[in-house]
Amino acid sequence: MATATYPPPPPYYRLYKDYLQNPKSAPEPPPPIERTYVCFGANYTTDYVLPSLEEQGVRRLYPNGPNVDFKKELRSLNRELQLHLLELADVLIERPSQYARRVEDISLIFKNLHHLLNSLRPHQARATLIHILELQIQRRKQAVEDIKRRREEAQKLLKEALGTLDGQ
């Protein structure tokens, strides 16, 4: 009995046998998935929606609304986290049996911090994309300048070569 290290390719590879001669002979890719789909038994959506803290059953520790000062709120939550960590250390030293409430408070602060940071992800993605595009523009401008400089050098060399030919 023969065994193979790798399984054979799936049968649809035959659809691409004439691809090199005629690239249009390959089948069209499947359409993009829209709305919801099931993967490994879980439902997913293609819409990017950050669920609110209330939908997740978590109490919000910062004000809700479109005009949230993220920097101020992140600093505030960070200070509150530091305070609660110090309080947890005190409780663990003095009353070790009463640590659970402090851990829950710290967990709540972490969840709020995490949610606040996740709400900044679209802005971060836009800023990263803008930065990448600006770098591409800069590189292309440098390439154009380099081409212009080399063209001028080549024209100069051609003029010198014509001058030496005419001078003989």
PDB file of all heavy atoms in Angstrom, residues 82-112:
ATOM      1  N   GLN A  82      -4.580  52.770  38.367  1.00  0.00           N
ATOM      2  CA  GLN A  82      -3.428  52.772  39.284  1.00  0.00           C
ATOM      3  C   GLN A  82      -3.894  52.823  40.742  1.00  0.00           C
ATOM      4  O   GLN A  82      -3.372  52.100  41.597  1.00  0.00           O
ATOM      5  CB  GLN A  82      -2.512  53.958  38.986  1.00  0.00           C
ATOM      6  CG  GLN A  82      -1.785  53.848  37.680  1.00  0.00           C
ATOM      7  CD  GLN A  82      -1.023  55.112  37.330  1.00  0.00           C
ATOM      8  OE1 GLN A  82      -1.108  56.123  38.024  1.00  0.00           O
ATOM      9  NE2 GLN A  82      -0.275  55.066  36.242  1.00  0.00           N
ATOM     10  N   LEU A  83      -4.877  53.665  41.020  1.00  0.00           N
ATOM     11  CA  LEU A  83      -5.412  53.774  42.376  1.00  0.00           C
ATOM     12  C   LEU A  83      -6.012  52.440  42.829  1.00  0.00           C
ATOM     13  O   LEU A  83      -5.745  51.986  43.950  1.00  0.00           O
ATOM     14  CB  LEU A  83      -6.474  54.879  42.432  1.00  0.00           C
ATOM     15  CG  LEU A  83      -7.192  55.046  43.757  1.00  0.00           C
ATOM     16  CD1 LEU A  83      -6.228  55.581  44.812  1.00  0.00           C
ATOM     17  CD2 LEU A  83      -8.390  55.953  43.607  1.00  0.00           C
ATOM     18  N   HIS A  84      -6.785  51.806  41.966  1.00  0.00           N
ATOM     19  CA  HIS A  84      -7.415  50.537  42.330  1.00  0.00           C
ATOM     20  C   HIS A  84      -6.376  49.418  42.514  1.00  0.00           C
ATOM     21  O   HIS A  84      -6.559  48.541  43.361  1.00  0.00           O
ATOM     22  CB  HIS A  84      -8.452  50.127  41.285  1.00  0.00           C
ATOM     23  CG  HIS A  84      -9.774  50.801  41.484  1.00  0.00           C
ATOM     24  ND1 HIS A  84      -9.980  52.129  41.170  1.00  0.00           N
ATOM     25  CD2 HIS A  84     -10.947  50.347  41.981  1.00  0.00           C
ATOM     26  CE1 HIS A  84     -11.228  52.453  41.454  1.00  0.00           C
ATOM     27  NE2 HIS A  84     -11.844  51.376  41.949  1.00  0.00           N
ATOM     28  N   LEU A  85      -5.300  49.453  41.741  1.00  0.00           N
ATOM     29  CA  LEU A  85      -4.253  48.457  41.929  1.00  0.00           C
ATOM     30  C   LEU A  85      -3.563  48.630  43.285  1.00  0.00           C
ATOM     31  O   LEU A  85      -3.253  47.647  43.973  1.00  0.00           O
ATOM     32  CB  LEU A  85      -3.232  48.533  40.795  1.00  0.00           C
ATOM     33  CG  LEU A  85      -3.700  47.965  39.450  1.00  0.00           C
ATOM     34  CD1 LEU A  85      -2.699  48.285  38.354  1.00  0.00           C
ATOM     35  CD2 LEU A  85      -3.928  46.473  39.536  1.00  0.00           C
ATOM     36  N   LEU A  86      -3.324  49.891  43.667  1.00  0.00           N
ATOM     37  CA  LEU A  86      -2.745  50.143  44.992  1.00  0.00           C
ATOM     38  C   LEU A  86      -3.698  49.704  46.106  1.00  0.00           C
ATOM     39  O   LEU A  86      -3.277  49.113  47.107  1.00  0.00           O
ATOM     40  CB  LEU A  86      -2.399  51.623  45.153  1.00  0.00           C
ATOM     41  CG  LEU A  86      -1.187  52.106  44.356  1.00  0.00           C
ATOM     42  CD1 LEU A  86      -1.058  53.618  44.462  1.00  0.00           C
ATOM     43  CD2 LEU A  86       0.068  51.419  44.851  1.00  0.00           C
ATOM     44  N   GLU A  87      -4.994  49.991  45.915  1.00  0.00           N
ATOM     45  CA  GLU A  87      -5.987  49.560  46.905  1.00  0.00           C
ATOM     46  C   GLU A  87      -6.036  48.039  46.986  1.00  0.00           C
ATOM     47  O   GLU A  87      -6.175  47.475  48.078  1.00  0.00           O
ATOM     48  CB  GLU A  87      -7.367  50.113  46.552  1.00  0.00           C
ATOM     49  CG  GLU A  87      -7.511  51.598  46.800  1.00  0.00           C
ATOM     50  CD  GLU A  87      -8.863  52.128  46.364  1.00  0.00           C
ATOM     51  OE1 GLU A  87      -9.697  51.344  45.853  1.00  0.00           O
ATOM     52  OE2 GLU A  87      -9.099  53.331  46.536  1.00  0.00           O
ATOM     53  N   LEU A  88      -5.912  47.370  45.850  1.00  0.00           N
ATOM     54  CA  LEU A  88      -5.897  45.906  45.850  1.00  0.00           C
ATOM     55  C   LEU A  88      -4.695  45.388  46.633  1.00  0.00           C
ATOM     56  O   LEU A  88      -4.820  44.432  47.411  1.00  0.00           O
ATOM     57  CB  LEU A  88      -5.868  45.370  44.423  1.00  0.00           C
ATOM     58  CG  LEU A  88      -5.761  43.850  44.280  1.00  0.00           C
ATOM     59  CD1 LEU A  88      -6.989  43.164  44.867  1.00  0.00           C
ATOM     60  CD2 LEU A  88      -5.567  43.459  42.829  1.00  0.00           C
ATOM     61  N   ALA A  89      -3.557  46.022  46.449  1.00  0.00           N
ATOM     62  CA  ALA A  89      -2.369  45.600  47.204  1.00  0.00           C
ATOM     63  C   ALA A  89      -2.604  45.775  48.705  1.00  0.00           C
ATOM     64  O   ALA A  89      -2.249  44.889  49.504  1.00  0.00           O
ATOM     65  CB  ALA A  89      -1.152  46.398  46.752  1.00  0.00           C
ATOM     66  N   ASP A  90      -3.202  46.892  49.105  1.00  0.00           N
ATOM     67  CA  ASP A  90      -3.511  47.116  50.525  1.00  0.00           C
ATOM     68  C   ASP A  90      -4.484  46.067  51.051  1.00  0.00           C
ATOM     69  O   ASP A  90      -4.301  45.534  52.146  1.00  0.00           O
ATOM     70  CB  ASP A  90      -4.111  48.512  50.731  1.00  0.00           C
ATOM     71  CG  ASP A  90      -3.080  49.611  50.602  1.00  0.00           C
ATOM     72  OD1 ASP A  90      -1.870  49.308  50.704  1.00  0.00           O
ATOM     73  OD2 ASP A  90      -3.490  50.771  50.395  1.00  0.00           O
ATOM     74  N   VAL A  91      -5.522  45.786  50.269  1.00  0.00           N
ATOM     75  CA  VAL A  91      -6.528  44.808  50.703  1.00  0.00           C
ATOM     76  C   VAL A  91      -5.891  43.425  50.828  1.00  0.00           C
ATOM     77  O   VAL A  91      -6.191  42.684  51.776  1.00  0.00           O
ATOM     78  CB  VAL A  91      -7.722  44.789  49.717  1.00  0.00           C
ATOM     79  CG1 VAL A  91      -8.610  43.585  49.934  1.00  0.00           C
ATOM     80  CG2 VAL A  91      -8.537  46.067  49.862  1.00  0.00           C
ATOM     81  N   LEU A  92      -5.025  43.072  49.882  1.00  0.00           N
ATOM     82  CA  LEU A  92      -4.380  41.759  49.953  1.00  0.00           C
ATOM     83  C   LEU A  92      -3.482  41.629  51.182  1.00  0.00           C
ATOM     84  O   LEU A  92      -3.318  40.537  51.726  1.00  0.00           O
ATOM     85  CB  LEU A  92      -3.569  41.497  48.682  1.00  0.00           C
ATOM     86  CG  LEU A  92      -4.386  41.177  47.435  1.00  0.00           C
ATOM     87  CD1 LEU A  92      -3.487  41.098  46.209  1.00  0.00           C
ATOM     88  CD2 LEU A  92      -5.162  39.883  47.607  1.00  0.00           C
ATOM     89  N   ILE A  93      -2.929  42.740  51.633  1.00  0.00           N
ATOM     90  CA  ILE A  93      -2.078  42.708  52.822  1.00  0.00           C
ATOM     91  C   ILE A  93      -2.919  42.673  54.092  1.00  0.00           C
ATOM     92  O   ILE A  93      -2.679  41.879  55.000  1.00  0.00           O
ATOM     93  CB  ILE A  93      -1.127  43.925  52.835  1.00  0.00           C
ATOM     94  CG1 ILE A  93      -0.106  43.784  51.705  1.00  0.00           C
ATOM     95  CG2 ILE A  93      -0.408  44.051  54.171  1.00  0.00           C
ATOM     96  CD1 ILE A  93       0.713  45.039  51.468  1.00  0.00           C
ATOM     97  N   GLU A  94      -3.941  43.536  54.176  1.00  0.00           N
ATOM     98  CA  GLU A  94      -4.712  43.697  55.408  1.00  0.00           C
ATOM     99  C   GLU A  94      -5.885  42.724  55.529  1.00  0.00           C
ATOM    100  O   GLU A  94      -6.115  42.154  56.584  1.00  0.00           O
ATOM    101  CB  GLU A  94      -5.219  45.138  55.508  1.00  0.00           C
ATOM    102  CG  GLU A  94      -4.081  46.141  55.636  1.00  0.00           C
ATOM    103  CD  GLU A  94      -4.566  47.578  55.553  1.00  0.00           C
ATOM    104  OE1 GLU A  94      -5.802  47.798  55.574  1.00  0.00           O
ATOM    105  OE2 GLU A  94      -3.720  48.471  55.455  1.00  0.00           O
ATOM    106  N   ARG A  95      -6.671  42.572  54.444  1.00  0.00           N
ATOM    107  CA  ARG A  95      -7.871  41.721  54.481  1.00  0.00           C
ATOM    108  C   ARG A  95      -7.912  40.849  53.229  1.00  0.00           C
ATOM    109  O   ARG A  95      -8.682  41.123  52.298  1.00  0.00           O
ATOM    110  CB  ARG A  95      -9.124  42.597  54.534  1.00  0.00           C
ATOM    111  CG  ARG A  95      -9.155  43.580  55.699  1.00  0.00           C
ATOM    112  CD  ARG A  95     -10.345  44.534  55.632  1.00  0.00           C
ATOM    113  NE  ARG A  95     -10.461  45.323  54.400  1.00  0.00           N
ATOM    114  CZ  ARG A  95      -9.857  46.494  54.169  1.00  0.00           C
ATOM    115  NH1 ARG A  95      -9.054  47.000  55.063  1.00  0.00           N
ATOM    116  NH2 ARG A  95     -10.041  47.135  53.044  1.00  0.00           N
ATOM    117  N   PRO A  96      -7.113  39.815  53.156  1.00  0.00           N
ATOM    118  CA  PRO A  96      -7.003  39.007  51.926  1.00  0.00           C
ATOM    119  C   PRO A  96      -8.325  38.398  51.450  1.00  0.00           C
ATOM    120  O   PRO A  96      -8.487  38.131  50.267  1.00  0.00           O
ATOM    121  CB  PRO A  96      -6.013  37.911  52.295  1.00  0.00           C
ATOM    122  CG  PRO A  96      -5.335  38.356  53.525  1.00  0.00           C
ATOM    123  CD  PRO A  96      -6.229  39.335  54.204  1.00  0.00           C
ATOM    124  N   SER A  97      -9.254  38.183  52.334  1.00  0.00           N
ATOM    125  CA  SER A  97     -10.514  37.546  51.935  1.00  0.00           C
ATOM    126  C   SER A  97     -11.434  38.505  51.179  1.00  0.00           C
ATOM    127  O   SER A  97     -12.419  38.069  50.578  1.00  0.00           O
ATOM    128  CB  SER A  97     -11.233  36.989  53.171  1.00  0.00           C
ATOM    129  OG  SER A  97     -11.549  38.050  54.050  1.00  0.00           O
ATOM    130  N   GLN A  98     -11.139  39.799  51.166  1.00  0.00           N
ATOM    131  CA  GLN A  98     -12.026  40.792  50.541  1.00  0.00           C
ATOM    132  C   GLN A  98     -11.463  41.340  49.228  1.00  0.00           C
ATOM    133  O   GLN A  98     -11.770  42.453  48.835  1.00  0.00           O
ATOM    134  CB  GLN A  98     -12.267  41.943  51.526  1.00  0.00           C
ATOM    135  CG  GLN A  98     -12.954  41.508  52.802  1.00  0.00           C
ATOM    136  CD  GLN A  98     -13.093  42.660  53.770  1.00  0.00           C
ATOM    137  OE1 GLN A  98     -12.680  43.773  53.483  1.00  0.00           O
ATOM    138  NE2 GLN A  98     -13.692  42.383  54.922  1.00  0.00           N
ATOM    139  N   TYR A  99     -10.670  40.559  48.531  1.00  0.00           N
ATOM    140  CA  TYR A  99     -10.026  41.038  47.315  1.00  0.00           C
ATOM    141  C   TYR A  99     -10.954  40.996  46.096  1.00  0.00           C
ATOM    142  O   TYR A  99     -10.741  41.711  45.115  1.00  0.00           O
ATOM    143  CB  TYR A  99      -8.769  40.219  47.019  1.00  0.00           C
ATOM    144  CG  TYR A  99      -9.055  38.846  46.478  1.00  0.00           C
ATOM    145  CD1 TYR A  99      -9.078  38.615  45.113  1.00  0.00           C
ATOM    146  CD2 TYR A  99      -9.332  37.778  47.332  1.00  0.00           C
ATOM    147  CE1 TYR A  99      -9.352  37.359  44.610  1.00  0.00           C
ATOM    148  CE2 TYR A  99      -9.610  36.533  46.833  1.00  0.00           C
ATOM    149  CZ  TYR A  99      -9.612  36.323  45.474  1.00  0.00           C
ATOM    150  OH  TYR A  99      -9.889  35.080  44.981  1.00  0.00           O
ATOM    151  N   ALA A 100     -11.995  40.193  46.116  1.00  0.00           N
ATOM    152  CA  ALA A 100     -12.821  39.933  44.924  1.00  0.00           C
ATOM    153  C   ALA A 100     -13.458  41.217  44.381  1.00  0.00           C
ATOM    154  O   ALA A 100     -13.480  41.432  43.153  1.00  0.00           O
ATOM    155  CB  ALA A 100     -13.890  38.902  45.240  1.00  0.00           C
ATOM    156  N   ARG A 101     -13.958  42.087  45.266  1.00  0.00           N
ATOM    157  CA  ARG A 101     -14.601  43.318  44.805  1.00  0.00           C
ATOM    158  C   ARG A 101     -13.593  44.217  44.094  1.00  0.00           C
ATOM    159  O   ARG A 101     -13.898  44.836  43.070  1.00  0.00           O
ATOM    160  CB  ARG A 101     -15.248  44.057  45.967  1.00  0.00           C
ATOM    161  CG  ARG A 101     -16.165  45.170  45.485  1.00  0.00           C
ATOM    162  CD  ARG A 101     -16.881  45.862  46.641  1.00  0.00           C
ATOM    163  NE  ARG A 101     -16.613  47.282  46.549  1.00  0.00           N
ATOM    164  CZ  ARG A 101     -15.763  47.978  47.297  1.00  0.00           C
ATOM    165  NH1 ARG A 101     -15.096  47.386  48.248  1.00  0.00           N
ATOM    166  NH2 ARG A 101     -15.589  49.249  47.116  1.00  0.00           N
ATOM    167  N   ARG A 102     -12.380  44.274  44.615  1.00  0.00           N
ATOM    168  CA  ARG A 102     -11.334  45.105  44.000  1.00  0.00           C
ATOM    169  C   ARG A 102     -10.957  44.566  42.619  1.00  0.00           C
ATOM    170  O   ARG A 102     -10.745  45.331  41.678  1.00  0.00           O
ATOM    171  CB  ARG A 102     -10.087  45.163  44.884  1.00  0.00           C
ATOM    172  CG  ARG A 102     -10.310  45.750  46.230  1.00  0.00           C
ATOM    173  CD  ARG A 102     -10.585  47.219  46.144  1.00  0.00           C
ATOM    174  NE  ARG A 102     -10.755  47.742  47.501  1.00  0.00           N
ATOM    175  CZ  ARG A 102     -11.408  48.833  47.781  1.00  0.00           C
ATOM    176  NH1 ARG A 102     -11.954  49.523  46.811  1.00  0.00           N
ATOM    177  NH2 ARG A 102     -11.532  49.239  49.013  1.00  0.00           N
ATOM    178  N   VAL A 103     -10.893  43.262  42.499  1.00  0.00           N
ATOM    179  CA  VAL A 103     -10.562  42.648  41.213  1.00  0.00           C
ATOM    180  C   VAL A 103     -11.676  42.940  40.207  1.00  0.00           C
ATOM    181  O   VAL A 103     -11.406  43.216  39.027  1.00  0.00           O
ATOM    182  CB  VAL A 103     -10.311  41.136  41.372  1.00  0.00           C
ATOM    183  CG1 VAL A 103     -10.173  40.450  40.023  1.00  0.00           C
ATOM    184  CG2 VAL A 103      -9.074  40.892  42.224  1.00  0.00           C
ATOM    185  N   GLU A 104     -12.922  42.891  40.635  1.00  0.00           N
ATOM    186  CA  GLU A 104     -14.043  43.229  39.747  1.00  0.00           C
ATOM    187  C   GLU A 104     -13.966  44.679  39.300  1.00  0.00           C
ATOM    188  O   GLU A 104     -14.224  44.991  38.129  1.00  0.00           O
ATOM    189  CB  GLU A 104     -15.370  42.966  40.451  1.00  0.00           C
ATOM    190  CG  GLU A 104     -15.700  41.498  40.615  1.00  0.00           C
ATOM    191  CD  GLU A 104     -16.966  41.285  41.434  1.00  0.00           C
ATOM    192  OE1 GLU A 104     -17.686  42.272  41.707  1.00  0.00           O
ATOM    193  OE2 GLU A 104     -17.233  40.128  41.796  1.00  0.00           O
ATOM    194  N   ASP A 105     -13.605  45.587  40.211  1.00  0.00           N
ATOM    195  CA  ASP A 105     -13.465  46.999  39.849  1.00  0.00           C
ATOM    196  C   ASP A 105     -12.350  47.189  38.819  1.00  0.00           C
ATOM    197  O   ASP A 105     -12.501  47.942  37.852  1.00  0.00           O
ATOM    198  CB  ASP A 105     -13.172  47.849  41.085  1.00  0.00           C
ATOM    199  CG  ASP A 105     -14.364  47.940  42.034  1.00  0.00           C
ATOM    200  OD1 ASP A 105     -15.495  47.604  41.602  1.00  0.00           O
ATOM    201  OD2 ASP A 105     -14.157  48.343  43.199  1.00  0.00           O
ATOM    202  N   ILE A 106     -11.238  46.498  39.023  1.00  0.00           N
ATOM    203  CA  ILE A 106     -10.115  46.594  38.082  1.00  0.00           C
ATOM    204  C   ILE A 106     -10.523  46.019  36.727  1.00  0.00           C
ATOM    205  O   ILE A 106     -10.200  46.586  35.676  1.00  0.00           O
ATOM    206  CB  ILE A 106      -8.875  45.875  38.665  1.00  0.00           C
ATOM    207  CG1 ILE A 106      -8.334  46.672  39.857  1.00  0.00           C
ATOM    208  CG2 ILE A 106      -7.804  45.675  37.610  1.00  0.00           C
ATOM    209  CD1 ILE A 106      -7.251  45.968  40.638  1.00  0.00           C
ATOM    210  N   SER A 107     -11.258  44.939  36.726  1.00  0.00           N
ATOM    211  CA  SER A 107     -11.741  44.347  35.483  1.00  0.00           C
ATOM    212  C   SER A 107     -12.656  45.316  34.742  1.00  0.00           C
ATOM    213  O   SER A 107     -12.562  45.456  33.512  1.00  0.00           O
ATOM    214  CB  SER A 107     -12.476  43.046  35.787  1.00  0.00           C
ATOM    215  OG  SER A 107     -13.034  42.514  34.626  1.00  0.00           O
ATOM    216  N   LEU A 108     -13.517  46.006  35.470  1.00  0.00           N
ATOM    217  CA  LEU A 108     -14.413  46.995  34.861  1.00  0.00           C
ATOM    218  C   LEU A 108     -13.609  48.134  34.233  1.00  0.00           C
ATOM    219  O   LEU A 108     -13.910  48.567  33.108  1.00  0.00           O
ATOM    220  CB  LEU A 108     -15.378  47.543  35.916  1.00  0.00           C
ATOM    221  CG  LEU A 108     -16.330  48.634  35.458  1.00  0.00           C
ATOM    222  CD1 LEU A 108     -17.309  48.075  34.435  1.00  0.00           C
ATOM    223  CD2 LEU A 108     -17.065  49.225  36.642  1.00  0.00           C
ATOM    224  N   ILE A 109     -12.592  48.592  34.913  1.00  0.00           N
ATOM    225  CA  ILE A 109     -11.762  49.669  34.370  1.00  0.00           C
ATOM    226  C   ILE A 109     -11.047  49.195  33.108  1.00  0.00           C
ATOM    227  O   ILE A 109     -10.987  49.912  32.098  1.00  0.00           O
ATOM    228  CB  ILE A 109     -10.759  50.167  35.430  1.00  0.00           C
ATOM    229  CG1 ILE A 109     -11.503  50.826  36.595  1.00  0.00           C
ATOM    230  CG2 ILE A 109      -9.764  51.145  34.817  1.00  0.00           C
ATOM    231  CD1 ILE A 109     -10.632  51.124  37.791  1.00  0.00           C
ATOM    232  N   PHE A 110     -10.499  47.980  33.138  1.00  0.00           N
ATOM    233  CA  PHE A 110      -9.832  47.445  31.952  1.00  0.00           C
ATOM    234  C   PHE A 110     -10.795  47.321  30.779  1.00  0.00           C
ATOM    235  O   PHE A 110     -10.435  47.619  29.634  1.00  0.00           O
ATOM    236  CB  PHE A 110      -9.192  46.082  32.245  1.00  0.00           C
ATOM    237  CG  PHE A 110      -7.783  46.167  32.735  1.00  0.00           C
ATOM    238  CD1 PHE A 110      -7.433  45.605  33.947  1.00  0.00           C
ATOM    239  CD2 PHE A 110      -6.802  46.792  31.992  1.00  0.00           C
ATOM    240  CE1 PHE A 110      -6.126  45.675  34.410  1.00  0.00           C
ATOM    241  CE2 PHE A 110      -5.498  46.866  32.440  1.00  0.00           C
ATOM    242  CZ  PHE A 110      -5.161  46.302  33.654  1.00  0.00           C
ATOM    243  N   LYS A 111     -12.010  46.878  31.023  1.00  0.00           N
ATOM    244  CA  LYS A 111     -12.992  46.749  29.942  1.00  0.00           C
ATOM    245  C   LYS A 111     -13.320  48.114  29.340  1.00  0.00           C
ATOM    246  O   LYS A 111     -13.464  48.255  28.121  1.00  0.00           O
ATOM    247  CB  LYS A 111     -14.261  46.067  30.452  1.00  0.00           C
ATOM    248  CG  LYS A 111     -14.062  44.585  30.699  1.00  0.00           C
ATOM    249  CD  LYS A 111     -15.295  43.954  31.309  1.00  0.00           C
ATOM    250  CE  LYS A 111     -15.041  42.480  31.633  1.00  0.00           C
ATOM    251  NZ  LYS A 111     -16.165  41.871  32.349  1.00  0.00           N
ATOM    252  N   ASN A 112     -13.438  49.134  30.195  1.00  0.00           N
ATOM    253  CA  ASN A 112     -13.705  50.486  29.700  1.00  0.00           C
ATOM    254  C   ASN A 112     -12.513  51.021  28.904  1.00  0.00           C
ATOM    255  O   ASN A 112     -12.700  51.650  27.856  1.00  0.00           O
ATOM    256  CB  ASN A 112     -14.037  51.420  30.864  1.00  0.00           C
ATOM    257  CG  ASN A 112     -15.494  51.373  31.234  1.00  0.00           C
ATOM    258  OD1 ASN A 112     -16.283  52.161  30.740  1.00  0.00           O
ATOM    259  ND2 ASN A 112     -15.861  50.427  32.092  1.00  0.00           N
TER     260      ASN A 112
END
